[in-house]
Amino acid sequence: MLKKIELVIISAFLSLLLRAQVNTGFNLMPIPKEIHINDHKLVIDMNFKVSVIGNPNSRIYPEASRFLRRLSNATGIFLDKQGFVTPKDNNVSSALLIMVKRPGKLELGEDESYTLETKANQVVIDAITDIGAIRALETLLQLLSADAQGYYFPGVIIHDQPRFAWRGLLLDVALHFMPVDVVKRTLDGMAAVKMNVLHLHLCNDQGFRVESKVFPRLQQVASDGIYYTQEEIRDIVHYAGQRGIRVVPEFVVPAHTTAILTAYPEFASVKRDYKLQRYFGVFDPVMDPTNEKLYPFLEKLFLEMSSLFPDAYFHIGGDENTGKDWSSNPHIQAFMKAHGMKSTADLQTYFNQRLLPIIKKCGKTMVGWDEIFHPGLPKEVVIESWRGNESFYGSIKKGHPSILSYGYYIDLIQPASYHYQNDPIPDSVKLTAAETKLVLGGEATMWSEMVTPVTVDSRIWPRTAAIAERLWSPQTVRDTDDMYHRLDIESLRLEALGLRHISYKYPLMRQLVKGYDIKPLEVLVSVIEPLKIYERNEGDTMYTVFSPFTKLADVASPDQPVPRIFNKQVDSFLINPSPELEKTINEKLTLWKENDLPFQQLVKKSPVLQEAASLSQNLSKLADAGMQAMQYIQEHHNLGKDWLQEKMDIIKQARKQGGRCELQVVDAVQRLIEKAAETY
Amino acid sequence: MLKKIELVIISAFLSLLLRAQVNTGFNLMPIPKEIHINDHKLVIDMNFKVSVIGNPNSRIYPEASRFLRRLSNATGIFLDKQGFVTPKDNNVSSALLIMVKRPGKLELGEDESYTLETKANQVVIDAITDIGAIRALETLLQLLSADAQGYYFPGVIIHDQPRFAWRGLLLDVALHFMPVDVVKRTLDGMAAVKMNVLHLHLCNDQGFRVESKVFPRLQQVASDGIYYTQEEIRDIVHYAGQRGIRVVPEFVVPAHTTAILTAYPEFASVKRDYKLQRYFGVFDPVMDPTNEKLYPFLEKLFLEMSSLFPDAYFHIGGDENTGKDWSSNPHIQAFMKAHGMKSTADLQTYFNQRLLPIIKKCGKTMVGWDEIFHPGLPKEVVIESWRGNESFYGSIKKGHPSILSYGYYIDLIQPASYHYQNDPIPDSVKLTAAETKLVLGGEATMWSEMVTPVTVDSRIWPRTAAIAERLWSPQTVRDTDDMYHRLDIESLRLEALGLRHISYKYPLMRQLVKGYDIKPLEVLVSVIEPLKIYERNEGDTMYTVFSPFTKLADVASPDQPVPRIFNKQVDSFLINPSPELEKTINEKLTLWKENDLPFQQLVKKSPVLQEAASLSQNLSKLADAGMQAMQYIQEHHNLGKDWLQEKMDIIKQARKQGGRCELQVVDAVQRLIEKAAETY
């Protein structure tokens, strides 16, 4: 027992130490490379103005103007004296002086470093590029502090630069479409945590989401009318560029192409009546690589599409080809035989080799999921790894620049701590200097099977901020407790920016209860999370693109703070059962126990909540068992084996899903029960 | 005293009676013309499908599909069997059968009537036009009911049609721009309450908000880069048309044209260095009607603009010309003299007469604010009245079709009851049948001086639903209590549709308190409202387009339910001081009294709340005075005059604004105090 306590104390001490090193109380996220404190303090008042000097790209002016409005919104101070920051604003003694050496380019590896220093009457940002200065502006807004006298920027000297050059978010707009305003607020959030790549997944079996003037059937027949116009794409790309964010488009081929084949069935491997896929999963339709007409089609299409996206990288997907449609087509089989190809992978390799000159003709560097990696693939092709570390380091060892997505699948509802601990170059992996350079960075992936424009923010934020920190901050920044402390604060800052990961719940809950008093539902929702990994969509057959995503599992969101904190409190209590902890834990257990009665009243009024009835009941019984355990622990009661058995049945019951959600406080209560039984 | 009680009883009785007549418990809004109850009930399950037969405009299909998704979202029932309603869905025994006689046209006076009947196994909508059917679909969604068994549509036979043909909302996108997604959700809300005209106020001194390809300087120089592209305008017009909503554009001339004159100063009456206006108010810049080059310019501009808006009406503003720039220009003065014009109005009449053939050439009917009304104005010109009933009936008596906006100025933060009582043809006004026909309807006006995309919903909704009912439902529907009962329910339905008039507050409050625990602020905000009429923007000089609208007065919203209900409770208590009422009132007073302590803690942490400190303090003192009064009323204490004086000082203090807001419970507490003193 002592051993356990020692360990906890040591780890708590280490944790404090680490926190002291990296977090100086300003709650920055991501943590900068270096931060020092000085004695200055810049008070913000109505005369606060921004100047820019040097040789920036013009994007700095709207961004500096946006900074001013955000500062004004956060403080309520009327900063009307400067509506827009323009090149005329070059007074070197302005409250905020931004110095930029040269125009930043929207390209991989561009300099994003900056220095931010509070001086006597001024904050000075000094950056090589305007993109670095834009990163600094986000840091400065995070530094905003207040006391009874008013708002100020504290005294700091920060030297910052990213650890990885590719810090991305994949937004899937094919499975569930995301309107332009959703994309824009996502970009705002990304910029706030210094991410720099928006990977747009633009087509899949469920739809093709970009207007094509060359092949208009793509949006006419294969989008349900839900797609971006080219003007909208340009708008998104411009909006991202303003924030120093590159946009990398993904047009997945040869599989996941039901939509394209619905518009142009002549390119399919198997003749079928192609229709847009309504389910989510892995399907057989695939392009026929032996059809010579396919390549001119792809060339024209990709030339048009790549012209909309100025970025140097072009993602061709390449994942999840079942190969079945290739096997079942004798012509394809004959082709494979004639060319000595033995597997689906061989034929896909051939397809990729045909694709490569097309992508080059578009002036782009090819990116694909790790399935495209095969011997002989030119080394310039970038591999994005989603299947595991093995394939990630595999492609790196073979000389491919690589991006890690495995471990950053935010659609799988895992906690931020899980993603946070997923380092692209963990201590356990030894890479040469050259190999290390090939680790471009990583990408959080927001696949949209189970999300809509209403819920998507809650699946991206705030967890993605933890991934952003993993990719920006030094490797030594890895204290999970400290991360959560700052994440809770960053979450509010992201909300102030317009993201709806907190507020989206309340309209949905009011709809679910058909009224204003959501309290019993709110209590339940605070301790549940949607089923994780791919469990929510059982066998990929429960949900379609037409399903309602307005139910319990949509109101529930990942990584809930209430169970996270409760778990910690129970752990602490088991080591040191202080009266304060006892009180807090019992208060929570009482709340959960008593919540079921009013909750079942709601269910009667609102049949949509019936699926949650058992969860609420189980929570009540679980809480009751927990309260008994608390009492026995304190009183050292003599418990029978029957008691333990009875409680373990309740635990078992409490682990069952309801409404595609699970209770998140079962483990903690189980620990209490086991402790109580141990006392016996 | 008895007299007062009698009156209250009689009015309560009448109110109940009226409610019984019009509201059959389904809480429809607007109330239909006729509603009867039958014994049928249509249970909604996974097999629920929609068919359309007859000869509709194709807009019915996406609207019927949208209905299906909304029904699915509201009930959580997977209606995946029918993704989209198409012309192939013509099974006459579908759960919902929509019968349409002919395609509806987007024009004034188009038939919007419908019959909706629940039959044994089916709901049948029967309408002349698809637009009528679309109105019926909104009624049907409002009818959605639930019991412990599940969801169903109750048994009704509804015959419905609007009282007025023009039921509009003016959305000002010039003073504060509203992005496309805001406009779209506004259109959703309008359709939900059966409004049919979106009047877009597209330019003003602060900016010109539509891309012009003919005069690109308008958006390049006169919009701060904030404008709709022509593609976006087409998108908005299409989205509105889908919902049976016409879009009437307003391009205000000759005054309120600082933006146009910033781009094209050659058309100004006075030479100046024109720059976009940053304040809100009435300014001198005005076009020079004596400049012959002005008319070809306006013709080209209006031909381009009117081509974007297919509606037959074109609004040319015409309001708030100070005339000063005309007076100060000798050339204009000479012109007026030469043409025998004596006043600003005369010259504006001349300008309008020159404008009229241009608008006709655009194929449009001219609409203008009531300032353009003058003798000799052709009778087809539609007058929109904002200055009062006198001008409204004045223009009607002179034969002009007219629209009432006076009394529907929702930007002025007045309660829904005020707007609701504002009938376009009140009992007191006698009109001939011909004159009655000239009353086209009315328009709620959302001027955007004080609103942003974040707050605008809270200024439009739910109050506009009361105006929508005024313009749709029979004149006899006018029970304010019943309206509020239904408005509170409609407010939730509007929220479920995507409007943010409730939820927008919480992110703002979390930003204001810099944390998650907003309770003390929430308590204060629930009993305050922003300063009404034009008081918030003192002398039009407090706010500019760059000001923060993220403060107390923005979180506060009009027509708060808490004070509304408290006022009613106090009134009831003063007549019949029941123990229940006493308890409720004292609970509220205690809450408000004790809220100040935690609130002042927030203020220390968050300087932006300093402006609210006095309000919170005053509320606390007011509540304390109220509690004393409650006690004295019950105990029949002997009070001194000093007590009353002291309390009246508190009342006086409590009426003072703080953070551009006012407490809304002062009158009620004053009544308690006066009652307590009366006892003396």
Side-chain angles (χ1 to χ4, degrees):
Chain A
M1 200 62 214
L2 250 177
K3 227 173 166 183
K4 203 173 169 189
I5 295 177
E6 276 170 6
L7 268 174
V8 170
I9 290 172
I10 290 166
S11 98
F13 177 71
L14 274 173
S15 148
L16 273 172
L17 197 74
L18 274 167
R19 212 178 309 182
Q21 282 177 346
V22 294
N23 187 9
T24 42
F26 299 124
N27 302 310
L28 301 178
M29 192 160 219
I31 294 267
K33 196 177 181 198
E34 268 183 53
I35 177 163
H36 309 279
I37 294 174
N38 68 27
D39 288 337
H40 297 305
K41 173 177 172 175
L42 184 80
V43 173
I44 301 155
D45 63 19
M46 288 178 66
N47 297 311
F48 185 94
K49 283 195 178 181
V50 183
S51 287
V52 180
I53 59 170
N55 181 27
N57 178 290
S58 64
R59 75 168 70 84
I60 193 66
Y61 299 106
E63 278 301 291
S65 307
R66 191 166 74 95
F67 165 88
L68 259 184
R69 297 282 79 75
R70 287 166 70 192
L71 184 63
S72 178
N73 286 342
T75 59
I77 299 170
F78 284 64
L79 301 177
D80 297 47
K81 290 185 182 172
Q82 193 177 24
F84 295 97
V85 181
T86 72
K88 285 178 191 161
D89 295 304
N90 56 6
N91 178 351
V92 292
S93 51
S94 283
L96 173 59
L97 177 64
I98 300 171
M99 304 194 292
V100 176
K101 295 210 172 35
R102 64 165 175 81
K105 286 180 193 158
L106 284 169
E107 54 185 40
L108 181 65
E110 174 58 298
D111 193 300
E112 298 175 269
S113 71
Y114 67 89
T115 294
L116 188 160
E117 182 171 356
T118 318
K119 300 192 174 177
N121 297 302
Q122 194 176 38
V123 170
V124 177
I125 288 170
D126 191 354
I128 308 285
T129 71
D130 44 88
I131 296 174
I134 286 167
R135 305 289 173 251
L137 288 173
E138 297 292 346
T139 303
L140 188 55
L141 278 169
Q142 292 186 355
L143 284 168
L144 178 64
S145 304
D147 56 25
Q149 275 68 56
Y151 294 94
Y152 64 93
F153 291 125
V156 291
I157 305 172
I158 292 173
H159 300 286
D160 201 7
Q161 70 180 65
R163 181 172 166 218
F164 294 106
W166 189 301
R167 305 179 307 280
L169 171 68
L170 176 153
L171 186 64
D172 168 10
V173 298
L175 276 56
H176 274 102
F177 184 70
M178 299 293 152
V180 174
D181 60 304
V182 175
V183 180
K184 285 186 175 177
R185 69 178 190 244
T186 303
L187 285 163
D188 289 345
M190 290 173 66
V193 294
K194 302 184 170 58
M195 297 181 92
N196 66 357
V197 180
L198 176 66
H199 169 168
L200 282 179
H201 182 81
L202 289 160
C203 57
N204 209 307
D205 301 301
Q206 295 78 7
F208 190 94
R209 305 298 180 201
V210 185
E211 175 190 23
S212 169
K213 295 183 200 275
V214 180
F215 300 108
R217 280 180 60 83
L218 287 170
Q219 72 270 17
Q220 286 161 2
V221 176
S223 79
D224 289 326
I226 304 165
Y227 62 91
Y228 303 115
T229 65
Q230 297 201 351
E231 179 177 298
E232 285 172 328
I233 291 288
R234 280 187 210 101
D235 188 24
I236 289 170
V237 168
H238 173 78
Y239 195 90
Q242 276 299 124
R243 285 148 186 77
I245 297 175
R246 300 158 43 213
V247 180
V248 174
E250 177 184 353
F251 293 90
V252 54
V253 285
H256 281 304
T257 46
T258 308
I260 296 176
L261 300 178
T262 299
Y264 298 96
E266 59 267 37
F267 300 121
S269 297
V270 168
K271 281 209 175 191
R272 267 195 206 101
D273 182 18
Y274 285 93
K275 281 181 184 159
L276 292 184
Q277 180 55 252
R278 302 317 191 177
Y279 286 93
F280 307 111
V282 178
F283 307 98
D284 295 332
V286 61
M287 290 170 163
D288 177 359
T290 72
N291 180 347
E292 276 307 314
K293 288 181 183 158
L294 174 63
Y295 301 101
F297 166 77
L298 287 176
E299 180 173 319
K300 274 187 207 158
L301 178 63
F302 286 174
L303 274 169
E304 182 188 21
M305 292 298 123
S306 68
S307 76
L308 294 171
F309 296 91
D311 197 69
Y313 291 82
F314 194 88
H315 203 303
I316 54 93
D319 59 322
E320 296 187 325
N321 179 5
T322 67
K324 284 189 193 161
D325 277 12
W326 285 351
S327 306
S328 66
N329 179 331
H331 172 77
I332 294 175
Q333 287 302 308
F335 179 91
M336 286 173 71
K337 205 172 169 190
H339 291 76
M341 298 173 190
K342 287 182 180 127
S343 67
T344 298
D346 288 347
L347 183 55
Q348 190 157 342
T349 297
Y350 166 81
F351 172 75
N352 289 338
Q353 277 160 347
R354 296 291 303 266
L355 211 54
L356 205 60
I358 293 174
I359 305 302
K360 274 194 182 158
K361 197 165 175 183
C362 296
K364 306 292 183 184
T365 299
M366 190 159 110
V367 188
W369 296 105
D370 43 14
E371 282 99 330
I372 72 162
F373 168 60
H374 52 77
L377 187 73
K379 295 222 189 312
E380 77 253 30
V381 175
V382 177
I383 303 294
E384 178 160 16
S385 181
W386 72 280
R387 294 185 301 176
N389 287 334
E390 209 172 316
S391 75
F392 184 58
Y393 301 109
S395 61
I396 286 166
K397 298 273 177 202
K398 292 288 178 191
H400 289 280
S402 298
I403 303 159
L404 183 64
S405 280
Y406 176 78
Y408 300 135
Y409 264 47
I410 51 175
D411 57 320
L412 302 187
I413 316 289
Q414 290 161 293
S417 55
Y418 167 79
H419 302 301
Y420 193 60
Q421 285 152 14
N422 185 53
D423 200 295
I425 314 177
D427 295 338
S428 59
V429 169
K430 299 295 164 211
L431 299 179
T432 65
E435 286 164 353
T436 301
K437 272 186 82 174
L438 293 173
V439 180
L440 301 184
E443 270 190 7
T445 54
M446 184 69 263
W447 297 104
S448 64
E449 284 97 330
M450 299 289 124
V451 298
T452 67
V454 170
T455 62
V456 66
D457 290 9
S458 73
R459 272 52 177 162
I460 302 178
W461 309 108
R463 292 178 302 146
T464 295
I467 298 174
E469 174 158 293
R470 174 55 48 243
L471 298 172
W472 176 282
S473 301
Q475 193 185 11
T476 51
V477 176
R478 53 181 167 190
D479 178 333
T480 299
D481 286 346
D482 183 64
M483 178 277 285
Y484 270 121
H485 169 73
R486 289 177 292 111
L487 192 67
D488 287 343
I489 293 165
E490 182 58 27
S491 185
L492 281 177
R493 287 193 291 239
L494 289 165
E495 184 182 46
L497 198 54
L499 291 158
R500 304 201 185 120
H501 52 292
I502 305 171
S503 61
Y504 89 100
K505 281 178 191 269
Y506 296 87
L508 281 187
M509 285 198 280
R510 283 188 281 269
Q511 186 177 32
L512 283 172
V513 307
K514 293 196 90 180
Y516 291 90
D517 186 12
I518 56 171
K519 195 71 199 167
L521 178 57
E522 198 178 1
V523 168
L524 180 65
V525 163
S526 75
V527 295
I528 62 175
E529 290 177 14
L531 291 179
K532 295 178 180 58
I533 319 295
Y534 295 105
E535 281 175 55
R536 182 172 170 193
N537 190 14
E538 219 170 27
D540 291 351
T541 61
M542 242 185 123
Y543 292 92
T544 74
V545 297
F546 303 122
S547 301
F549 289 92
T550 51
K551 302 178 78 172
L552 189 73
D554 307 295
V555 170
S557 52
D559 211 5
Q560 285 297 291
V562 170
R564 190 211 317 147
I565 292 163
F566 181 73
N567 276 319
K568 288 241 157 205
Q569 287 169 337
V570 165
D571 284 348
S572 303
F573 175 81
L574 289 175
I575 294 163
N576 175 21
S578 74
E580 298 79 43
L581 277 174
E582 190 195 350
K583 185 164 173 276
T584 308
I585 292 169
N586 271 321
E587 274 171 5
K588 284 185 184 169
L589 292 169
T590 308
L591 175 71
W592 299 337
K593 182 186 167 184
E594 292 174 358
N595 193 59
D596 189 46
L597 197 67
F599 189 85
Q600 301 300 339
Q601 292 302 318
L602 286 186
V603 173
K604 278 182 199 153
K605 206 174 67 172
S606 205
V608 64
L609 289 176
Q610 269 160 11
E611 61 177 10
S614 64
L615 274 184
S616 172
Q617 220 167 37
N618 292 343
L619 176 65
S620 184
K621 285 182 189 163
L622 182 76
D624 182 58
M627 286 167 75
Q628 284 181 36
M630 289 292 290
Q631 199 184 335
Y632 292 145
I633 292 169
Q634 293 303 85
E635 296 174 6
H636 302 280
H637 252 258
N638 220 356
L639 288 168
K641 271 192 183 169
D642 289 351
W643 182 86
L644 181 62
Q645 189 51 51
E646 193 189 299
K647 299 307 151 195
M648 291 312 284
D649 285 348
I650 289 172
I651 292 286
K652 197 177 159 193
Q653 197 63 25
R655 293 199 187 281
K656 290 192 178 160
Q657 72 87 15
R660 316 311 292 163
C661 292
E662 285 174 320
L663 293 173
Q664 299 298 310
V665 290
V666 187
D667 287 348
V669 174
Q670 181 171 345
R671 286 199 293 279
L672 287 174
I673 286 169
E674 285 167 352
K675 177 76 179 179
E678 197 180 290
T679 320
Y680 165 67
Chain B
M1 199 63 213
L2 249 178
K3 228 174 165 180
K4 204 172 169 189
I5 294 175
E6 277 170 4
L7 269 174
V8 170
I9 291 173
I10 291 167
S11 97
F13 178 71
L14 274 173
S15 147
L16 275 172
L17 197 75
L18 275 167
R19 213 177 310 179
Q21 283 177 345
V22 294
N23 186 11
T24 43
F26 300 123
N27 302 310
L28 301 177
M29 193 159 215
I31 293 267
K33 196 177 180 197
E34 269 182 53
I35 176 163
H36 309 280
I37 294 173
N38 68 27
D39 288 337
H40 297 305
K41 173 178 173 175
L42 185 80
V43 173
I44 301 155
D45 63 21
M46 286 179 68
N47 298 310
F48 185 94
K49 282 195 178 181
V50 183
S51 287
V52 180
I53 60 170
N55 181 26
N57 178 290
S58 64
R59 73 169 71 84
I60 193 66
Y61 299 106
E63 278 301 290
S65 307
R66 192 166 73 94
F67 165 88
L68 260 183
R69 297 283 79 75
R70 287 165 69 192
L71 184 63
S72 178
N73 286 343
T75 60
I77 299 170
F78 284 63
L79 302 176
D80 297 46
K81 290 185 182 170
Q82 193 176 24
F84 295 97
V85 182
T86 73
K88 285 178 192 161
D89 296 303
N90 57 7
N91 178 351
V92 292
S93 50
S94 284
L96 173 59
L97 177 64
I98 301 171
M99 303 193 293
V100 175
K101 296 211 173 35
R102 64 165 175 81
K105 287 181 193 156
L106 284 169
E107 54 185 40
L108 182 65
E110 175 57 299
D111 193 300
E112 297 174 90
S113 70
Y114 67 89
T115 294
L116 186 160
E117 184 171 356
T118 318
K119 299 191 174 177
N121 296 303
Q122 192 176 40
V123 170
V124 177
I125 288 171
D126 190 354
I128 307 287
T129 70
D130 46 87
I131 297 174
I134 287 166
R135 304 289 173 251
L137 288 173
E138 296 292 347
T139 303
L140 188 55
L141 279 169
Q142 292 185 356
L143 283 167
L144 178 63
S145 303
D147 56 26
Q149 275 68 56
Y151 293 95
Y152 64 93
F153 292 124
V156 292
I157 306 172
I158 291 173
H159 300 287
D160 201 7
Q161 69 180 65
R163 182 172 166 217
F164 294 106
W166 190 302
R167 305 178 307 281
L169 171 68
L170 176 152
L171 186 63
D172 169 8
V173 299
L175 276 57
H176 274 101
F177 184 70
M178 299 293 152
V180 174
D181 61 303
V182 175
V183 179
K184 285 185 174 177
R185 69 177 190 245
T186 303
L187 285 162
D188 288 345
M190 291 173 65
V193 294
K194 303 183 170 57
M195 298 182 92
N196 66 358
V197 180
L198 176 67
H199 169 168
L200 281 180
H201 181 83
L202 289 160
C203 57
N204 209 307
D205 301 301
Q206 295 77 8
F208 190 94
R209 305 295 180 204
V210 185
E211 174 191 24
S212 170
K213 295 184 200 273
V214 181
F215 299 108
R217 279 180 60 84
L218 287 171
Q219 72 269 17
Q220 287 162 1
V221 176
S223 79
D224 289 324
I226 303 165
Y227 62 91
Y228 303 115
T229 64
Q230 297 201 352
E231 179 177 297
E232 284 172 329
I233 290 288
R234 281 187 208 101
D235 187 25
I236 289 170
V237 168
H238 173 78
Y239 194 90
Q242 276 298 124
R243 285 147 186 77
I245 297 175
R246 301 159 42 215
V247 180
V248 175
E250 177 184 352
F251 293 91
V252 53
V253 284
H256 280 305
T257 46
T258 308
I260 297 176
L261 299 177
T262 299
Y264 298 96
E266 59 267 39
F267 300 122
S269 297
V270 168
K271 281 207 177 195
R272 266 193 207 101
D273 182 18
Y274 285 93
K275 282 180 184 161
L276 292 185
Q277 181 54 251
R278 303 315 190 178
Y279 287 93
F280 307 111
V282 178
F283 306 98
D284 296 331
V286 62
M287 290 169 162
D288 177 0
T290 72
N291 180 348
E292 276 306 314
K293 288 179 185 160
L294 174 63
Y295 301 101
F297 166 78
L298 287 177
E299 181 173 317
K300 275 187 207 159
L301 177 63
F302 286 173
L303 274 169
E304 183 189 22
M305 293 297 122
S306 67
S307 75
L308 295 171
F309 297 92
D311 197 70
Y313 292 82
F314 194 90
H315 203 303
I316 54 94
D319 59 321
E320 297 187 325
N321 177 5
T322 67
K324 283 190 195 162
D325 277 11
W326 286 351
S327 305
S328 67
N329 178 331
H331 173 76
I332 294 175
Q333 286 302 308
F335 180 91
M336 286 173 71
K337 206 173 167 189
H339 292 76
M341 299 172 188
K342 289 184 178 123
S343 66
T344 299
D346 288 347
L347 184 54
Q348 189 157 344
T349 299
Y350 166 82
F351 172 76
N352 289 338
Q353 278 159 346
R354 296 291 303 268
L355 212 54
L356 205 59
I358 292 173
I359 305 300
K360 274 195 182 158
K361 198 165 175 182
C362 296
K364 306 291 183 184
T365 299
M366 190 160 110
V367 189
W369 297 104
D370 44 13
E371 281 100 328
I372 72 161
F373 168 60
H374 52 76
L377 186 73
K379 294 222 188 313
E380 78 253 30
V381 175
V382 177
I383 303 294
E384 178 160 17
S385 182
W386 72 280
R387 292 184 302 175
N389 288 333
E390 209 172 316
S391 76
F392 184 59
Y393 301 109
S395 61
I396 286 165
K397 297 274 177 200
K398 292 289 180 192
H400 290 279
S402 298
I403 304 158
L404 184 63
S405 279
Y406 176 78
Y408 299 134
Y409 265 47
I410 51 175
D411 57 320
L412 303 187
I413 317 287
Q414 290 160 293
S417 55
Y418 167 79
H419 302 301
Y420 194 60
Q421 286 152 12
N422 185 53
D423 199 295
I425 314 177
D427 296 337
S428 59
V429 169
K430 300 295 163 210
L431 298 179
T432 66
E435 285 164 354
T436 301
K437 272 185 80 175
L438 293 173
V439 180
L440 301 184
E443 270 187 9
T445 53
M446 184 68 261
W447 297 104
S448 64
E449 285 96 332
M450 298 290 122
V451 298
T452 67
V454 170
T455 63
V456 66
D457 289 9
S458 73
R459 272 50 177 165
I460 301 178
W461 308 108
R463 293 178 302 147
T464 295
I467 298 174
E469 174 158 293
R470 173 58 44 241
L471 299 172
W472 176 283
S473 301
Q475 192 184 13
T476 50
V477 177
R478 53 181 166 190
D479 179 332
T480 299
D481 285 345
D482 184 64
M483 178 276 287
Y484 270 121
H485 169 73
R486 289 176 293 110
L487 193 66
D488 286 344
I489 294 165
E490 182 56 28
S491 185
L492 281 177
R493 287 193 291 241
L494 289 164
E495 185 181 46
L497 197 54
L499 292 158
R500 305 201 184 119
H501 51 294
I502 304 171
S503 61
Y504 90 101
K505 281 177 192 269
Y506 296 87
L508 281 186
M509 285 198 280
R510 283 188 280 270
Q511 186 177 31
L512 282 172
V513 308
K514 295 195 91 180
Y516 291 90
D517 186 12
I518 56 171
K519 195 71 198 167
L521 177 58
E522 199 178 1
V523 168
L524 180 65
V525 163
S526 75
V527 295
I528 62 174
E529 290 176 16
L531 291 179
K532 295 178 180 57
I533 319 294
Y534 296 105
E535 279 174 55
R536 181 171 171 194
N537 191 12
E538 218 169 27
D540 291 351
T541 60
M542 244 186 122
Y543 293 92
T544 73
V545 297
F546 303 121
S547 301
F549 289 93
T550 51
K551 301 178 77 172
L552 190 73
D554 307 294
V555 170
S557 52
D559 211 4
Q560 286 296 291
V562 171
R564 191 212 314 150
I565 293 163
F566 181 73
N567 276 318
K568 289 239 158 209
Q569 288 170 335
V570 165
D571 284 348
S572 302
F573 176 81
L574 289 174
I575 293 162
N576 174 21
S578 74
E580 298 79 44
L581 277 175
E582 190 195 350
K583 185 163 172 278
T584 308
I585 291 170
N586 271 322
E587 274 171 7
K588 285 185 183 168
L589 291 170
T590 307
L591 176 70
W592 299 336
K593 183 184 166 184
E594 291 173 359
N595 193 59
D596 190 46
L597 198 66
F599 189 85
Q600 301 300 339
Q601 292 303 317
L602 286 185
V603 172
K604 277 183 200 153
K605 206 173 69 172
S606 205
V608 64
L609 289 175
Q610 269 160 9
E611 62 177 10
S614 64
L615 273 183
S616 173
Q617 218 168 38
N618 292 343
L619 176 64
S620 184
K621 286 183 189 162
L622 181 75
D624 182 57
M627 286 166 76
Q628 284 181 36
M630 289 291 289
Q631 197 183 336
Y632 291 145
I633 290 169
Q634 293 302 86
E635 295 175 5
H636 301 282
H637 251 259
N638 219 358
L639 289 167
K641 271 191 183 169
D642 288 352
W643 182 86
L644 181 62
Q645 190 49 52
E646 192 188 302
K647 300 307 152 194
M648 291 312 285
D649 285 349
I650 289 171
I651 293 286
K652 197 177 158 192
Q653 197 63 24
R655 293 199 187 281
K656 289 192 178 160
Q657 72 87 17
R660 315 312 291 163
C661 291
E662 284 174 321
L663 294 172
Q664 298 298 310
V665 290
V666 186
D667 287 348
V669 174
Q670 182 171 346
R671 285 199 293 280
L672 288 174
I673 287 168
E674 284 167 352
K675 178 75 176 177
E678 201 179 288
T679 320
Y680 164 66

